[in-house]
Amino acid sequence: MLISLRDLERTYPQGVARSYVLRRINVDIKEGEFVSIMGPSGAGKSTLLHILGMHDAAWSGEYFFQDQPVHKMSAKQRSELHKRHIGFVFQSYHLLDNLTVYENLEIPLSYRDVGRKERQSIVAETLDRFQIVAKKDLYPSQLSGGQQQLVGVARAVIAHPQILLADEPTGNLHSEQGKEIMELFRKLNDAGTTIVQVTHSDVNAAYGSRIIHLRDGWVVDD
Amino acid sequence: MNATALPAVIRMKDLTKVFATDEVETHALSNVSLDIARGEYVSIGGPSGCGKSTLLSILGLLDSPTGGAYELNNRPVSELPASERARVRNREIGFIFQSFNLIGDLTVFENVELPLTYRGMRPADRRQRVTDALERVGMAHRAKHLPSQLSGGQQQRVAVARAVAGEPVILLADEPTGNLDSKSGEAVMELLHELHRAGATICMVTHDPRYARHAQRNIHLFDGRIVDEPEEERQWADADLPS
């Protein structure tokens, strides 16, 4: 099992009481799955995704990542695990505007001990694989939204993470561009990458193999 | 040649930028000449489409001019090859963007560290620079937080820390308050003001005259040219009329 959540809960203080965002979540995700998290606004979808991505540590319950207990880890260990194993795609791309496509792709590699020569070859290989070689010296502002997200996805998977997490990856795109990103997710998944995405779109969810429905912090259907 | 004796950080002479699309040539910039001295705080304003973003892209070495000369820190840069331009840009220029431009799954510390990583700076030196920069903007206590855990104003302070951490010769700010409420906007302006007092050279694009007032010198662009600014034109520009 890649991910196991056991009675995971997330609360926020609200005056003297606590308000629940996630309630007794029990979810297992196997390697190679393509999961969509759906539900109305405020259901806890993004909160769950960011906990999976180890961006958020203020929860209770148990989280096992490849059988390692994340709930017992220090912030530093969690951050290591995150950097080594998780790729994240954001709705608004999160590319750096003063770096070229090439340099944006290099970012995750600069956080691992990857030598210069090897870095160059990994970036070159990724530019090829995503067919963006011609764009390597351009800046994000010179690309369309769809192309920017393509770079965002390429950056998220460049260091071969165990799992790709995506928060509304097509939320800022036209439907045609959104479709291209989903086709790309399907290809990545076919090639073995585990994917979990938060989406409002039934069309996007149809690309996946499983849908987890959240409502008011509960898993209501899986 | 006594050019090196002059304290100008930026020297632009007769700069032009022409975009050609489908037989139509658009002159985004026409014969713009502009010097910015070390330690100056300059604002660039004008209505939408006046060329201020194009000028800022060229200033920041994100784009090259079609004609004219540009010297950054006494060095001609308009005809550098792309790789060399990227190196100069990384070392000499600190960017502050309207949308903060932080990466969501890196901590505040890592976001500030990023440009230094590109220079191959030693980890210990990097840590020191990042810590100093975060202290300057009052965000050291948030070093381990993620951008999403901060308010917009705080995110922009982190972006300012990232821009100053590399000790660039000039800070370029593109509508740095554009995504902030007026209170956080004022706080970011105050921060830029402090950096300027401590010696920073700053060039800020803003269409908001309230913020332009913070600068020592206001430059106005209209149809790709630097214009003098009689009162009636100022009102024109403020109204942001379509050109």
Side-chain angles (χ1 to χ4, degrees):
Chain A
M1 205 61 71
L2 184 57
I3 283 176
S4 294
L5 305 179
R6 291 291 169 267
D7 288 326
L8 189 127
E9 296 199 312
R10 176 70 164 102
T11 62
Y12 287 97
Q14 195 176 56
V16 288
R18 302 196 71 78
S19 94
Y20 281 87
V21 186
L22 292 173
R23 304 220 59 175
R24 283 182 240 158
I25 304 288
N26 289 285
V27 165
D28 290 323
I29 296 171
K30 288 198 277 290
E31 247 161 68
E33 278 197 285
F34 183 171
V35 180
S36 300
I37 303 175
M38 299 191 77
S41 301
K45 308 185 291 293
S46 286
T47 305
L48 179 56
L49 194 76
H50 285 273
I51 289 173
L52 289 177
M54 303 181 200
H55 294 166
D56 178 359
W59 40 269
S60 62
E62 295 178 330
Y63 173 4
F64 296 91
F65 189 91
Q66 289 183 315
D67 301 323
Q68 303 174 71
V70 177
H71 47 281
K72 290 183 182 162
M73 288 180 189
S74 67
K76 200 171 171 202
Q77 289 171 311
R78 267 199 318 272
S79 156
E80 274 300 302
L81 203 61
H82 163 88
K83 293 216 168 70
R84 195 123 25 90
H85 298 302
I86 294 172
F88 213 97
V89 174
F90 300 88
Q91 178 173 352
S92 52
Y93 327 132
H94 286 210
L95 302 179
L96 294 187
D97 289 334
N98 58 324
L99 299 185
T100 61
V101 166
Y102 187 100
E103 294 165 329
N104 268 288
L105 290 179
E106 255 189 327
I107 291 173
L109 303 176
S110 70
Y111 277 91
R112 297 166 204 221
D113 298 326
V114 183
R116 210 177 118 89
K117 274 259 143 47
E118 197 187 345
R119 236 168 36 214
Q120 286 171 344
S121 81
I122 294 173
V123 174
E125 184 260 335
T126 305
L127 288 166
D128 273 336
R129 189 152 61 103
F130 286 79
Q131 297 174 6
I132 45 177
V133 179
K135 310 257 187 275
K136 74 179 171 58
D137 294 323
L138 297 182
Y139 294 91
S141 63
Q142 296 170 301
L143 304 176
S144 70
Q147 290 167 336
Q148 290 189 51
Q149 191 60 299
L150 189 59
V151 177
V153 176
R155 183 179 66 186
V157 299
I158 193 165
H160 299 289
Q162 299 286 317
I163 186 164
L164 178 64
L165 302 176
D167 195 2
E168 295 278 5
T170 66
N172 285 4
L173 303 178
H174 306 305
S175 58
E176 195 54 37
Q177 297 171 329
K179 194 176 156 214
E180 280 170 28
I181 294 296
M182 281 302 112
E183 298 283 356
L184 176 60
F185 273 27
R186 174 142 65 197
K187 269 191 229 156
L188 290 169
N189 182 241
D190 287 345
T193 308
T194 310
I195 299 176
V196 179
Q197 67 173 352
V198 162
T199 182
H200 275 109
S201 151
D202 292 319
V203 178
N204 287 0
Y207 283 87
S209 48
R210 174 177 165 198
I211 298 175
I212 296 174
H213 283 279
L214 288 182
R215 185 182 295 272
D216 299 330
W218 297 89
V219 174
V220 289
D221 192 16
D222 185 353
Chain B
M1 289 289 278
N2 61 356
T4 46
L6 294 168
V9 172
I10 303 275
R11 303 174 75 97
M12 291 182 148
K13 182 88 180 121
D14 288 333
L15 220 67
T16 59
K17 180 69 180 180
V18 181
F19 293 106
T21 46
D22 298 338
E23 298 162 23
V24 184
E25 282 196 343
T26 312
H27 289 256
L29 294 175
S30 308
N31 298 97
V32 169
S33 295
L34 170 65
D35 285 4
I36 298 176
R38 188 172 300 280
E40 250 197 309
Y41 185 174
V42 173
S43 80
I44 301 176
S48 353
C50 69
K52 49 186 196 296
S53 301
T54 306
L55 181 57
L56 199 75
S57 296
I58 292 174
L59 270 170
L61 301 179
L62 298 174
D63 201 354
S64 11
T66 319
Y70 173 21
E71 283 183 17
L72 172 67
N73 216 7
N74 293 316
R75 172 180 186 184
V77 289
S78 37
E79 279 163 24
L80 288 179
S83 59
E84 185 58 14
R85 236 186 20 229
R87 213 184 61 81
V88 174
R89 173 166 41 77
N90 178 287
R91 285 183 178 270
E92 310 277 31
I93 294 169
F95 289 94
I96 302 160
F97 297 98
Q98 178 172 355
S99 55
F100 323 137
N101 231 245
L102 303 174
I103 295 183
D105 60 348
L106 298 182
T107 62
V108 162
F109 189 95
E110 290 163 341
N111 268 289
V112 175
E113 191 183 25
L114 203 55
L116 305 178
T117 313
Y118 277 102
R119 297 188 191 180
M121 192 182 279
R122 293 215 322 274
D125 297 341
R126 264 189 345 236
R127 270 197 297 280
Q128 190 58 48
R129 287 271 195 111
V130 175
T131 309
D132 291 349
L134 285 173
E135 270 166 16
R136 284 183 83 176
V137 305
M139 291 297 293
H141 60 301
R142 297 290 207 139
K144 290 183 175 167
H145 288 210
L146 292 165
S148 58
Q149 296 170 298
L150 308 179
S151 71
Q154 291 171 324
Q155 291 188 48
Q156 193 61 303
R157 298 182 87 80
V158 173
V160 172
R162 179 181 57 194
V164 301
E167 298 178 357
V169 297
I170 187 165
L171 288 176
L172 297 183
D174 190 2
E175 303 275 6
T177 58
N179 278 356
L180 300 176
D181 61 53
S182 57
K183 190 159 167 270
S184 315
E186 274 303 329
V188 166
M189 280 297 131
E190 186 51 44
L191 176 60
L192 291 181
H193 194 62
E194 273 170 36
L195 293 171
H196 174 238
R197 276 203 304 266
T201 311
I202 302 176
C203 179
M204 169 176 68
V205 161
T206 180
H207 68 274
D208 191 333
R210 280 177 307 159
Y211 294 133
R213 242 176 258 133
H214 288 263
Q216 295 168 296
R217 179 155 66 108
N218 300 327
I219 289 162
H220 288 265
L221 281 181
F222 194 80
D223 281 349
R225 295 172 190 278
I226 292 181
V227 291
D228 293 332
E229 206 208 352
E231 198 53 34
E232 57 276 16
E233 215 162 69
R234 172 183 263 275
Q235 282 160 7
W236 242 62
D238 293 353
D240 218 16
L241 294 170
S243 43

